[in-house]
């Protein structure tokens, strides 16, 4: 199955990368993780859990250079309760792999450029929701952030998407 092959390759690559971390100076890197039980998983205004709770977890690596990488996962449920069993998509988990680089431009501005690959392992045969996204952020004065995101194959639909957010 294409999804499992991609997820397995990314997982093996990430584990190989993490395995090489001891060669770096310990004071230059940090590894962290978290576990969350959320009342609902909402992504860009849309419930990913049919308004039900979600279990989420992540492992993150950050280097003093500004490079970072991580894996984030969440429970998902895209099909309504009254969906017939034969119409269920089988997607119960989302696993996102991401890499990026963040740095200060000067005392006022900073940037963050990243790539994310959203995967949905376990989806039924013939269903492939996996897709990539590129994200850029510019922050000024420590509080104003402008974000641009782009995907050339949103939710593996063949459609492109572009979004911007300013805070």
């Amino acid at each position: 199955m294409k999804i499992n092959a991609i997820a397995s390759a990314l997982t093996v690559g990430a584990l190989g990368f993490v395995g090489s971390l001891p060669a770096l100076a310990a004071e230059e890197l940090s590894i962290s993780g978290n576990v969350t039980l959320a009342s609902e998983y909402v992504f860009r205004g849309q419930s990913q859990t049919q308004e039900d709770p979600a279990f989420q977890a992540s492992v993150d690596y950050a280097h003093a250079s500004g490079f970072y990488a991580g894996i984030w996962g969440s429970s998902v449920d895209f099909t309504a309760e009254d969906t017939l069993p034969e119409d269920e998509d089988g997607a119960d988990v989302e696993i996102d792999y991401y890499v990026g680089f963040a740095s200060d431009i000067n005392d006022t501005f900073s940037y963050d450029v990243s790539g994310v690959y959203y995967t949905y392992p376990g989806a039924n045969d013939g269903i492939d929701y996996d897709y990539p996204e590129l994200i850029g952020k510019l922050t000024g004065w420590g509080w104003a952030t402008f974000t641009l995101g782009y995907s050339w194959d949103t939710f593996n639909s063949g459609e492109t998407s572009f979004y911007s957010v300013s805070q």
Side-chain angles (χ1 to χ4, degrees):
M1 178 187 234
K2 181 180 170 189
I3 295 170
N4 288 336
I6 292 170
S8 296
L10 289 170
T11 301
V12 168
L15 291 175
F17 176 74
V18 170
S20 67
L21 292 178
L24 298 172
E27 64 273 0
E28 294 181 0
L29 63 92
S30 67
I31 297 175
S32 62
N34 70 58
V35 175
T36 304
L37 179 58
S39 60
E40 180 181 10
Y41 170 23
V42 176
F43 181 67
R44 298 190 185 136
Q46 299 293 314
S47 178
Q48 305 295 291
T49 56
Q50 298 294 314
E51 300 180 356
D52 289 332
F55 176 77
Q56 302 171 335
S58 70
V59 176
D60 304 288
Y61 159 81
H63 188 267
S65 67
F67 174 80
Y68 63 89
I71 299 171
W72 179 88
S74 179
S75 55
V76 295
D77 183 5
F78 298 127
T79 53
E81 293 286 326
D82 60 353
T83 301
L84 296 172
E86 61 269 17
D87 294 330
E88 174 68 43
D89 64 6
D92 295 324
V93 175
E94 173 184 331
I95 300 176
D96 304 341
Y97 302 87
Y98 52 91
V99 296
F101 189 84
S103 184
D104 292 335
I105 298 170
N106 56 35
D107 290 342
T108 305
F109 294 99
S110 63
Y111 69 93
D112 184 343
V113 179
S114 63
V116 181
Y117 192 68
Y118 302 90
T119 66
Y120 302 86
N124 293 343
D125 288 339
I127 296 176
D128 183 5
Y129 294 144
D130 301 0
Y131 70 99
E133 185 173 74
L134 298 175
I135 303 167
K137 295 180 184 177
L138 178 64
T139 300
W141 304 283
W143 57 269
T145 301
F146 181 69
T147 304
L148 292 174
Y150 173 75
S151 178
W152 52 96
D153 192 16
T154 303
F155 219 54
N156 198 26
S157 64
E159 299 291 322
T160 61
S161 66
F162 176 80
Y163 72 93
S164 65
V165 177
S166 57
Q167 300 173 323

